[in-house]
Amino acid sequence: MVNKITLNDIAKKAGVSSQTVSRVINNLPDVSRATRKRVQQIIDEMGYQPNAIARSLSTQRTWMMGVVIGSLDRYGPSRIFVELNKNAYLQGYRLLPYFTYGEDTLEIAKYVQELLTHRPDGIIWAVMERAGHDEVIQESFDGIDIPIVTMEACMPNVPKPVFMDQVKTSDGLTTHLIEQGYSNIGIITGEMRPTVRGRLRIEGWENALRRAGLPYSTLQRAHGDWTAIGGEHAMSQLMEQYPSLDAVFACNDQMALGVLSYAYRHNIHVPSQLGVVGMDDISEAICFNPPLTTARLPFEAFAEQTVQTLARMIDAHVAEEDYIVPDTLMLYPKIIIRESSMRKSVDT
Amino acid sequence: MVNKITLNDIAKKAGVSSQTVSRVINNLPDVSRATRKRVQQIIDEMGYQPNAIARSLSTQRTWMMGVVIGSLDRYGPSRIFVELNKNAYLQGYRLLPYFTYGEDTLEIAKYVQELLTHRPDGIIWAVMERAGHDEVIQESFDGIDIPIVTMEACMPNVPKPVFMDQVKTSDGLTTHLIEQGYSNIGIITGEMRPTVRGRLRIEGWENALRRAGLPYSTLQRAHGDWTAIGGEHAMSQLMEQYPSLDAVFACNDQMALGVLSYAYRHNIHVPSQLGVVGMDDISEAICFNPPLTTARLPFEAFAEQTVQTLARMIDAHVAEEDYIVPDTLMLYPKIIIRESSMRKSVDT
DNA sequence: CTGAAAGCGCTTACAG
DNA sequence: CTGAAAGCGCTTACAG
């Protein structure tokens, strides 16, 4: 391991007991100014680094938050991860990341077991893969006396501090398309069997169309794989299934780019002949051809609220107090209107 | 903390000593089949989870690799991080991530100190921010007896297991543009004061142009901020500085998208009037309008080699053997030719 | 203001 | 095949 120097080495060198050194390191009272200064000097000289492992074992506290998260190749999850890290740091915690690949539930359960081995002070569950995991995972946490919050899936007895309203967002984007005069609006989802989040997006799209008295058959639905090329294929399928299509809501910006690519190759003009909206507002979206209408999700606030809630739960847990789960914070994405859906202003 | 159940609890319940339980857990020999079975049963029943903290303290081994990395909002670093995690896992390690934001060297030095506190078995240095850190950081590691590898910056006495040849790549992309008949080729870099990596890219661009007897003045250079919109601005600046421009090498695909966006808005046809190449081959690049010529970097191999080398170094360190640093593995990106630079085939 | 001692939950020679 | 005991490097009542 690293530095061979221990508390005791410092203590000997300074001619004091080790707990005096401990007091200096942790800035506790009950050390004379003179002693404190002398000890500090020796610490600096020798380049002593306290051992967090030993401290954790002794204090029963690791200051680690385990985070289980998947699909890091995608925009949302990777933004979330970065923001979680930033906020955990601000609260004095480090992250112990456990990335899931694929959907092998059993694998994930084992993975979680391994994570628990490191005794994180709390756990953030950010896997948004299709449900079905939930029960198996829940089992892993059963009887485990450790605070846990979820960002995506809903689990019994597990607080979900923030909720990004997917339904309202898709509803808003779809409604915007309707207002622009489009009436045969398709949707491109991420997976064939959508995640919970995916289903909510479909719901919002349906709601808007139903309210407007417009069609929303399954023929108006296709699925990609969250990539641009996947979006392009889905678009091609959509045009076959539902030739009267005049607008598309793609569930992320990459797939929307695929739709734009399809339109370009088939000489379909966007937005006059086809309206396109995406989701995420990735930084590239503004430079698409044409610039893309989309919705920006408040990932910063999402992560902040999650981490803060978990930190409170940990505090309460340590103090052996009861924790009152706060109301779920509702967050709403911001719709960003750009050229890809602005038929009205183009027409006039 | 988690599970209150300890080795001792199991031992008592099984009526054996704690080290017998330890033997069972770690699959060590010298336990009778009967005892092993009985102990294992009790472990399963009680849902016992060994405590990795205690084990680490005792064995002086954490099975953690600290990784210091920045710019996770960008494609390269985030790909690298994910691949590092995957490979570390395969080698039996977990990652302890330390993300840097911005370039405050002092901040980073403190950060590194904190990381060392957790006694990782080894460290991966993947910060690619501008040099200048190096000395300060090097100091943090001085006298620290712990294996470390670097992926980007060069530090004395720190092995750099892999090297992605930036010069050859830019050279190759630029040469491709020349072969397609472009002769006034600009470059858009990421920063005003490029990183080491950035400078190598400029070098490759210059090499190709020099060899071909073509101009490569500083007027042909502009910088963005790695984003699409930044690339668009840079392109606009480039057109002012150097009006005869007929091709651009953007140092990443996002900035190349900005160039395409500029071309679109100014009715410049790509590739007949302007050739565009990027770098990275992000999954969207194939759906750009037109599809983008770019270079794909072998991130998997990059991460794999890095992690494996570090693992070997750790092995040697634990065994107190000398470690012979292997030759640096050279990796070459693959150039992907698409429509954005194919003037020849368009002309004919 | 300071220190002796026990404890956190494991592993590891060593002895039997 | 099994166990008593010391040790990893800290913290924490407790006593002085």
Side-chain angles (χ1 to χ4, degrees):
Chain A
M1 266 160 104
V2 190
N3 242 317
K4 296 286 177 194
I5 310 164
T6 71
L7 246 192
N8 256 305
D9 297 334
I10 303 291
K12 268 179 208 151
K13 191 118 181 179
V16 295
S17 72
S18 59
Q19 64 268 49
T20 296
V21 181
S22 176
R23 287 191 184 100
V24 173
I25 289 168
N26 296 300
N27 249 309
L28 297 175
D30 296 332
V31 185
S32 72
R33 295 176 59 92
T35 314
R36 192 181 294 272
K37 197 175 159 190
R38 185 158 43 90
V39 171
Q40 186 61 55
Q41 203 161 6
I42 296 179
I43 288 174
D44 293 341
E45 266 172 28
M46 305 190 63
Y48 167 68
Q49 295 283 358
N51 183 326
I53 308 280
R55 182 177 293 171
S56 290
L57 183 59
S58 182
T59 58
Q60 304 285 85
R61 184 118 195 224
T62 55
W63 291 97
M64 292 270 174
M65 287 179 173
V67 29
V68 188
I69 190 168
S71 311
L72 248 92
D73 50 324
R74 281 170 43 200
Y75 180 75
S78 79
R79 279 294 310 279
I80 287 175
F81 183 67
V82 170
E83 295 295 332
L84 283 176
N85 181 74
K86 207 178 290 183
N87 282 285
Y89 190 76
L90 291 175
Q91 302 276 331
Y93 291 89
R94 300 294 159 267
L95 250 39
L96 208 48
Y98 275 66
F99 300 151
T100 64
Y101 304 95
E103 309 203 352
D104 184 341
T105 306
L106 223 67
E107 204 65 33
I108 296 185
K110 259 189 210 161
Y111 215 46
V112 170
Q113 290 302 315
E114 218 268 333
L115 165 57
L116 290 175
T117 268
H118 289 98
R119 304 294 191 264
D121 290 338
I123 291 183
I124 298 170
W125 187 256
V127 185
M128 60 175 184
E129 259 63 46
R130 173 169 349 127
H133 287 338
D134 304 10
E135 300 105 58
V136 182
I137 304 306
Q138 180 77 48
E139 229 170 79
S140 310
F141 292 132
D142 258 11
I144 301 293
D145 187 25
I146 182 177
I148 164 169
V149 294
T150 174
M151 298 185 84
E152 295 287 341
C154 290
M155 293 191 258
N157 303 322
V158 175
K160 184 179 165 97
V162 206
F163 188 78
M164 291 212 269
D165 195 328
Q166 303 288 337
V167 180
K168 267 222 174 96
T169 312
S170 334
D171 191 323
L173 284 165
T174 310
T175 300
H176 161 71
L177 285 172
I178 296 169
E179 285 167 3
Q180 289 292 317
Y182 300 103
S183 51
N184 288 288
I185 304 173
I187 183 171
I188 296 178
T189 59
E191 300 92 357
M192 184 156 51
R193 292 157 56 194
T195 58
V196 179
R197 174 184 276 206
R199 264 179 263 131
L200 295 175
R201 290 191 185 170
I202 297 176
E203 193 182 323
W205 167 80
E206 283 181 350
N207 287 352
L209 292 173
R210 187 184 308 115
R211 227 177 22 244
L214 293 172
Y216 54 96
S217 69
T218 52
L219 287 177
Q220 286 159 262
R221 284 156 55 170
H223 70 91
D225 58 358
W226 299 111
T227 69
I229 196 78
E232 185 160 349
H233 292 152
M235 179 61 185
S236 149
Q237 191 192 327
L238 222 42
M239 290 298 280
E240 257 178 52
Q241 286 176 194
Y242 193 76
S244 50
L245 192 81
D246 67 359
V248 177
F249 164 37
C251 284
N252 76 353
D253 289 349
Q254 278 83 2
M255 295 196 296
L257 177 62
V259 173
L260 294 178
S261 175
Y262 178 94
Y264 170 69
R265 290 182 208 218
H266 292 77
N267 280 309
I268 300 170
H269 186 259
V270 176
S272 65
Q273 294 171 276
L274 181 76
V276 181
V277 301
M279 178 89 126
D280 276 351
D281 193 29
I282 62 176
S283 69
E284 291 89 322
I286 197 174
C287 285
F288 283 0
N289 178 358
L292 184 70
T293 294
T294 184
R296 184 182 303 157
L297 277 54
F299 289 113
E300 300 86 353
F302 190 32
E304 185 182 358
Q305 181 71 11
T306 301
V307 169
Q308 280 186 6
T309 304
L310 184 57
R312 295 294 120 67
M313 288 170 68
I314 294 171
D315 290 344
H317 187 253
V318 168
E320 298 194 335
E321 286 164 6
D322 276 335
Y323 178 72
I324 297 117
V325 182
D327 289 339
T328 297
L329 176 70
M330 293 296 281
L331 290 178
Y332 300 96
K334 188 177 165 197
I335 292 181
I336 317 276
I337 296 173
R338 301 203 184 96
E339 206 182 312
S340 72
S341 66
M342 289 170 64
R343 176 143 77 167
K344 286 266 165 84
S345 40
V346 168
D347 279 359
T348 47
Chain B
M1 267 162 103
V2 190
N3 242 317
K4 296 285 178 195
I5 310 165
T6 71
L7 247 192
N8 257 305
D9 296 334
I10 303 289
K12 266 180 211 151
K13 191 117 181 180
V16 295
S17 73
S18 59
Q19 65 269 45
T20 296
V21 181
S22 176
R23 286 190 186 102
V24 173
I25 289 167
N26 296 301
N27 249 310
L28 297 175
D30 295 332
V31 184
S32 72
R33 294 176 61 90
T35 314
R36 192 181 293 274
K37 197 176 160 192
R38 185 158 43 89
V39 171
Q40 187 59 55
Q41 201 162 5
I42 295 178
I43 287 174
D44 294 341
E45 264 171 30
M46 305 191 63
Y48 166 68
Q49 295 284 359
N51 183 328
I53 309 281
R55 180 178 294 173
S56 290
L57 182 59
S58 182
T59 58
Q60 303 286 85
R61 185 118 195 223
T62 55
W63 292 97
M64 293 270 174
M65 287 180 173
V67 28
V68 189
I69 190 168
S71 311
L72 247 89
D73 50 324
R74 281 170 43 201
Y75 180 75
S78 79
R79 277 295 308 278
I80 288 174
F81 183 67
V82 170
E83 295 295 333
L84 284 177
N85 182 73
K86 206 177 292 185
N87 281 285
Y89 189 77
L90 290 175
Q91 303 275 332
Y93 290 89
R94 301 292 159 269
L95 251 38
L96 208 47
Y98 274 67
F99 299 150
T100 63
Y101 304 95
E103 310 204 352
D104 183 342
T105 306
L106 223 68
E107 202 67 31
I108 295 184
K110 259 191 211 160
Y111 215 48
V112 170
Q113 291 302 315
E114 219 267 333
L115 166 57
L116 290 174
T117 268
H118 289 98
R119 303 295 192 264
D121 290 337
I123 292 182
I124 297 170
W125 187 256
V127 185
M128 60 175 184
E129 259 63 46
R130 173 172 345 128
H133 288 335
D134 304 10
E135 299 105 59
V136 182
I137 302 306
Q138 179 77 48
E139 229 170 78
S140 309
F141 293 132
D142 259 9
I144 300 290
D145 186 26
I146 182 178
I148 163 170
V149 294
T150 173
M151 299 184 83
E152 296 286 341
C154 290
M155 292 191 259
N157 303 323
V158 175
K160 184 178 165 98
V162 205
F163 187 77
M164 291 213 269
D165 195 330
Q166 303 289 335
V167 180
K168 267 223 174 93
T169 312
S170 333
D171 191 323
L173 283 165
T174 310
T175 300
H176 162 71
L177 285 171
I178 296 169
E179 286 168 0
Q180 290 291 317
Y182 300 103
S183 51
N184 288 289
I185 304 173
I187 183 171
I188 297 178
T189 59
E191 299 91 358
M192 184 155 51
R193 294 158 53 195
T195 57
V196 179
R197 173 184 277 207
R199 264 180 263 130
L200 295 176
R201 291 190 184 171
I202 297 176
E203 194 182 321
W205 166 80
E206 283 181 351
N207 288 352
L209 293 172
R210 186 184 309 115
R211 228 178 19 243
L214 293 171
Y216 53 96
S217 69
T218 51
L219 287 177
Q220 288 158 260
R221 284 157 55 169
H223 70 92
D225 58 358
W226 299 110
T227 68
I229 196 79
E232 184 160 350
H233 292 150
M235 178 62 185
S236 148
Q237 191 192 326
L238 222 42
M239 289 298 279
E240 257 179 52
Q241 285 177 194
Y242 192 76
S244 51
L245 192 80
D246 66 359
V248 178
F249 164 37
C251 284
N252 75 353
D253 290 348
Q254 277 84 2
M255 295 195 297
L257 176 63
V259 173
L260 294 178
S261 174
Y262 178 94
Y264 170 69
R265 290 182 209 220
H266 292 78
N267 280 310
I268 300 171
H269 186 259
V270 176
S272 65
Q273 293 173 279
L274 182 76
V276 181
V277 301
M279 178 90 125
D280 277 350
D281 192 30
I282 61 176
S283 69
E284 291 89 323
I286 197 175
C287 284
F288 283 0
N289 177 356
L292 184 71
T293 294
T294 183
R296 184 181 304 156
L297 277 55
F299 288 114
E300 299 86 354
F302 190 31
E304 185 183 357
Q305 182 71 9
T306 302
V307 169
Q308 279 186 6
T309 304
L310 184 57
R312 296 292 120 67
M313 289 170 68
I314 294 171
D315 289 344
H317 187 254
V318 167
E320 297 192 338
E321 287 165 6
D322 276 334
Y323 178 73
I324 297 117
V325 182
D327 289 340
T328 296
L329 175 71
M330 293 295 282
L331 290 178
Y332 299 96
K334 187 178 165 196
I335 293 182
I336 316 275
I337 297 173
R338 301 204 185 95
E339 205 184 314
S340 72
S341 66
M342 288 170 62
R343 175 145 76 169
K344 287 264 164 88
S345 41
V346 168
D347 279 359
T348 47

